[in-house]
Amino acid sequence: MQIVKYQFQQHGDERGQLVALEEFNDIPFEIKRVYYMYDTAEGVIRGYHAHKSLKQILICIHGSCKILLDNGKGEKKKVFLEKPYEGLFVDNNMWREMYDFSPDAVLMCLASEVYNEEDYIRNYDDFLKFVNEESE
Ligand code: T46
């Protein structure tokens, strides 16, 4: 299982840093939605789901957090996000859990689709069935 982490270009000068993201240039899909989470309570684990179609890029624009990715085929990887110029690509059919949020963490997500609860697989056994049946 390959982890795809983007290193975005930083436009830095004596005033500070700036990162600009354009769909199809920096982000490999049309960005249909942006959302972000912050003030995450200590010890909280978010996610616990996969998406049937949605692709995303996760950017921890402030603070840090960890992401567990699980492809449902026996491979799991943990990724530490702490740089505002790094983006983790999360494909469809990938179970994700986000945890160890620092108190100041702001996790931003660029998504390829608008919000659609039908696209979520929120039960782990259903996820295993879905990904393993799909590849048969
Ligand atoms: C994902 C991970 C990384 C909306 O109304 N619109 C939205 O666009 C989103 C993302 C959420 N919501 C509502 C639905 C729930 O009542 O906000 C509430 C929290 O959503 P959820 O429990 O799905 O949050 P997470 O942190 O578990 O998951 C989110 C995304 O939903 C998901 O697509 O991949 O972040």
Side-chain angles (χ1 to χ4, degrees):
M1 180 176 139
Q2 210 197 337
I3 294 297
V4 179
K5 233 183 186 186
Y6 289 86
Q7 304 284 324
F8 304 123
Q9 189 184 353
Q10 296 177 81
H11 302 273
D13 58 29
E14 65 285 354
R15 297 169 297 172
Q17 301 291 342
L18 184 153
V19 171
L21 302 175
E22 295 182 0
E23 57 190 13
F24 302 124
N25 280 335
D26 311 282
I27 303 299
F29 48 75
E30 184 185 359
I31 301 166
K32 292 203 181 148
R33 180 167 51 112
V34 177
Y35 62 89
Y36 43 92
M37 50 203 88
Y38 55 94
D39 280 352
T40 307
E42 198 184 340
V44 159
I45 306 180
R46 302 192 65 119
Y48 287 116
H49 59 255
H51 283 278
K52 296 175 196 161
S53 310
L54 184 82
K55 297 174 192 298
Q56 317 198 84
I57 300 258
L58 300 182
I59 308 168
C60 198
I61 54 173
H62 197 257
S64 64
C65 67
K66 292 177 186 154
I67 316 287
L68 169 83
L69 296 180
D70 174 348
N71 70 0
K73 297 175 182 181
E75 289 180 289
K76 296 181 188 190
K77 293 243 166 100
K78 291 175 180 170
V79 182
F80 185 51
L81 290 181
E82 58 163 347
K83 296 191 165 69
Y85 54 86
E86 269 184 6
L88 174 68
F89 178 70
V90 183
D91 215 340
N92 60 325
N93 295 342
M94 189 68 73
W95 189 262
R96 83 281 323 263
E97 295 171 18
M98 301 89 79
Y99 61 104
D100 274 1
F101 287 86
S102 63
D104 57 350
V106 181
L107 180 62
M108 185 174 78
C109 179
L110 310 180
S112 67
E113 304 296 336
V114 297
Y115 180 69
N116 175 13
E117 188 56 39
E118 301 280 291
D119 191 58
Y120 284 72
I121 309 173
R122 293 194 181 270
N123 176 285
Y124 189 69
D125 289 335
D126 291 346
F127 165 66
L128 292 180
K129 222 166 133 191
F130 186 80
V131 289
N132 289 297
E133 273 173 7
E134 202 178 56
S135 58
E136 272 168 21

